[in-house]
Amino acid sequence: MILEQYYTKCLAQGTYYISSNGEAAVIDPLREVQPYIDRAAQEGATIKYIFLTHFHADFVSGHVDLADKTGATIVIGPNASTSYAFAKAEHQQSFSIGDITLTLLHTPGHTMESSCYLLKDETGKAEAIFTGDTLFIGDVGRPDLAVKSDLSTEDLAGHLYDSLRNHIMPLPDDIIIYPAHGAGSACGKNMSKETSDTLGNQKKTNYALNPDLTKEDFIKEVTTGIAAPPSYFPKNVWMNKGVNSSIDEILKRGITPINAKSFKALADDVEYLVLDVRSPQEFTKEHIPGSWFIGLDGQFAPWVGALIEDIDQKIILVAPEGREEEAVTRLARVGYDNSQGYLKGGISSWKTAGYSISSIEDITAQEFIDGLESGMIEQPLDCRKPGEYESSHVNGVPLHALDNVHSELKHLDNTKVYTVHCAGGYRSVIFASIAQSQGFKFKNVLGGYGAIKKTELKNQELVTTSSCNI
């Protein structure tokens, strides 16, 4: 038996490849499916099944593409409804892959079709369970994403409580839990950075598996402090229930090189968004006027989904040389399939063609603090998340979270100059780029709050309300 976890840090998402005796299965595949096909070919295996734990909200799965290319059967749990062919499995239904089996355990709560898959080896011993968004390492899935007129968040939380206690907690303590997500995902509140663990250890450390936790207390715990889901979540659920463009078609169009003259014409068209995916430092130094920054070397796909409100937005890219296909692929992972090409030759070709560039002034953390103390910086902003801000922030610097940038800008004055910081200098450049594209003037604090905490403070002070590390 072969069991491999493919973990994608940008999405904090785990997908799984399992094979035995010439047959293979994939659980929760990413949008790009060729790696699974190549892996099966490597060992001469046939992909027999594609298992979905549920209809994911935070990424678009490649299950339909993978089924089309391999002939594999898509398996989803009870209550599922789609526009493509699939096998609707029942609770406790087993599927053979070579000499091993995967048994579906229907575990509603995160969504009503949510299911886990229990893996038994050649001897029939339970080895692992693939828990999707039902159970994470250190947490459980949020119960607010599948709310309907006849099903509240509290109802879903109650189902989740029952699912955990009736179908997962009675399993042997030595089985390994393989969840769909880890720390950084918006599908839970307090996930661990670990991507697997034994059930026995989770019973000791995961609050949700505490045997003394009443159903009422569980419901209160999992429904308290949930941040609003990113706006693209329901769109991705809808896409995962339907047939989407092939990743091959998306890549073919998206990695089309565009010369500077043609790129300029598209950039001037209001239907197109210029998305710059280079580093924060490269962007602040020089960029195309009106372009947005969301760098590849950060939480790229989640921020794209949170901030680009139209999932059908036509996008043209400014990308580091050799990373154009990566950018298009990662956009498609969250359903942004309308990439139209990239600037051939990058910013250099744009400047050679004689077109103007913009920049954002970077200042050091010490210059920021000195400016606050001298009164030279009059419009400071903190664009981190509310939890980060509440833990510790610079006294007198207001919070304008990046998650809400489009509404936050309505409260700012475009005649003033703002100075923005985040935790490390990535999100602040995103905020400044979007603001600048709408006519605001911004400076960026290099190194963000991490650098600010190391500065020499005189009259300024940091307000700390907990021991949480930023």
Side-chain angles (χ1 to χ4, degrees):
M1 178 180 68
I2 294 172
L3 192 169
E4 295 175 348
Q5 180 188 66
Y6 297 81
Y7 196 78
T8 305
K9 289 184 179 180
C10 180
L11 292 172
Q13 191 266 341
T15 187
Y16 301 90
Y17 174 88
I18 307 158
S19 70
S20 169
N21 199 20
E23 294 183 336
V26 180
I27 300 176
D28 292 334
L30 284 178
R31 190 77 180 270
E32 61 275 23
V33 300
Q34 195 59 44
Y36 311 117
I37 296 171
D38 293 344
R39 181 65 186 90
Q42 213 176 54
E43 58 173 310
T46 298
I47 298 178
K48 185 178 181 181
Y49 294 114
I50 303 157
F51 296 100
L52 290 194
T53 55
H54 64 294
F55 296 118
H56 292 275
D58 61 316
F59 73 98
V60 178
S61 173
H63 52 290
V64 176
D65 256 6
L66 187 56
D68 286 345
K69 292 182 177 183
T70 63
T73 298
I74 298 169
V75 178
I76 315 175
N79 302 319
S81 178
T82 72
S83 61
Y84 48 82
F86 74 101
K88 183 182 289 189
E90 299 300 323
H91 178 60
Q92 294 285 8
Q93 184 172 346
S94 294
F95 300 83
S96 64
I97 300 103
D99 299 324
I100 64 176
T101 61
L102 280 175
T103 300
L104 183 145
L105 304 179
H106 185 214
T107 52
H110 175 65
T111 66
M112 288 307 291
E113 80 284 350
S114 282
S115 300
C116 302
Y117 295 94
L118 179 65
L119 171 66
K120 293 184 179 180
D121 67 13
E122 298 86 345
T123 68
K125 181 181 184 295
E127 289 283 349
I129 184 167
F130 304 90
T131 55
D133 286 20
T134 296
L135 176 63
F136 299 127
I137 307 306
D139 201 3
V140 290
R142 56 191 297 168
D144 63 320
L145 300 182
V147 172
K148 298 179 180 178
S149 58
D150 61 341
L151 198 64
S152 70
T153 297
E154 288 73 22
D155 292 332
L156 284 160
H159 283 301
L160 184 57
Y161 179 89
D162 293 336
S163 293
L164 292 169
R165 273 139 185 83
N166 296 336
H167 303 311
I168 294 181
M169 290 177 70
L171 295 171
D173 283 354
D174 63 348
I175 69 167
I176 307 299
I177 297 168
Y178 289 108
H181 296 292
S185 169
C187 293
K189 293 190 297 183
N190 301 298
M191 284 176 269
S192 167
K193 63 179 177 20
E194 303 301 325
T195 61
S196 65
D197 194 10
T198 64
L199 177 58
N201 193 52
Q202 282 301 292
K203 286 179 180 178
K204 297 175 184 175
T205 60
N206 189 327
Y207 73 92
L209 302 186
N210 182 344
D212 297 327
L213 193 65
T214 67
K215 191 171 188 176
E216 291 72 21
D217 287 341
F218 176 90
I219 291 172
K220 182 178 180 181
E221 179 67 32
V222 299
T223 58
T224 300
I226 306 175
S231 60
Y232 75 100
F233 270 27
K235 300 168 189 174
N236 278 196
V237 170
W238 177 80
M239 291 180 74
N240 282 322
K241 293 181 178 182
V243 179
N244 306 300
S245 300
S246 164
I247 188 66
D248 300 327
E249 298 171 17
I250 295 166
L251 287 172
K252 183 178 180 180
R253 180 179 62 247
I255 60 174
T256 301
I258 305 172
N259 64 41
K261 182 177 180 181
S262 298
F263 197 93
K264 175 72 163 61
L266 294 176
D268 290 341
D269 187 331
V270 294
E271 290 189 4
Y272 288 80
L273 171 66
V274 179
L275 183 63
D276 194 318
V277 301
R278 299 173 299 152
S279 71
Q281 296 77 19
E282 289 172 309
F283 184 86
T284 56
K285 179 182 178 183
E286 52 186 9
H287 58 265
I288 293 172
S291 61
W292 287 17
F293 164 79
I294 306 179
L296 284 172
D297 294 325
Q299 292 289 314
F300 174 73
W303 282 119
V304 165
L307 301 175
I308 301 178
E309 295 175 309
D310 181 3
I311 204 165
D312 297 317
Q313 174 69 56
K314 293 178 180 177
I315 295 171
I316 49 177
L317 293 161
V318 178
E321 185 177 357
R323 299 184 71 182
E324 298 87 1
E325 182 172 337
E326 177 189 350
V328 176
T329 299
R330 289 170 67 179
L331 284 166
R333 284 177 182 167
V334 286
Y336 289 77
D337 296 353
N338 218 354
S339 299
Q340 300 292 312
Y342 68 92
L343 177 60
K344 183 179 181 181
I347 287 293
S348 296
S349 69
W350 180 268
K351 292 192 295 182
T352 299
Y355 300 130
S356 64
I357 60 171
S358 292
S359 63
I360 294 171
E361 183 182 347
D362 285 323
I363 65 170
T364 67
Q366 190 63 59
E367 288 172 331
F368 176 66
I369 290 298
D370 291 345
L372 287 176
E373 294 179 339
S374 68
M376 294 297 291
I377 291 178
E378 297 180 345
Q379 304 295 332
L381 297 181
D382 185 330
C383 72
R384 295 174 299 157
K385 292 183 179 293
E388 295 173 278
Y389 183 84
E390 289 163 9
S391 294
S392 182
H393 60 268
V394 180
N395 190 32
V397 176
L399 175 68
H400 292 269
L402 174 59
D403 302 74
N404 307 318
V405 62
H406 300 299
S407 58
E408 294 287 355
L409 291 179
K410 296 175 183 177
H411 305 295
L412 303 186
D413 183 344
N414 63 9
T415 65
K416 296 179 179 178
V417 178
Y418 293 88
T419 304
V420 62
H421 77 80
C422 60
Y426 175 80
R427 287 174 286 174
S428 57
V429 179
I430 298 176
F431 193 109
S433 74
I434 295 173
Q436 189 186 64
S437 74
Q438 297 185 32
F440 291 89
K441 303 176 186 69
F442 265 76
K443 295 180 182 180
N444 172 62
V445 180
L446 291 165
Y449 195 72
I452 290 169
K453 290 192 294 184
K454 299 175 183 177
T455 60
E456 190 177 316
L457 300 172
K458 296 175 184 174
N459 301 319
Q460 211 65 35
E461 64 175 337
L462 304 184
V463 177
T464 302
T465 57
S466 81
S467 59
C468 178
N469 292 321
I470 303 300

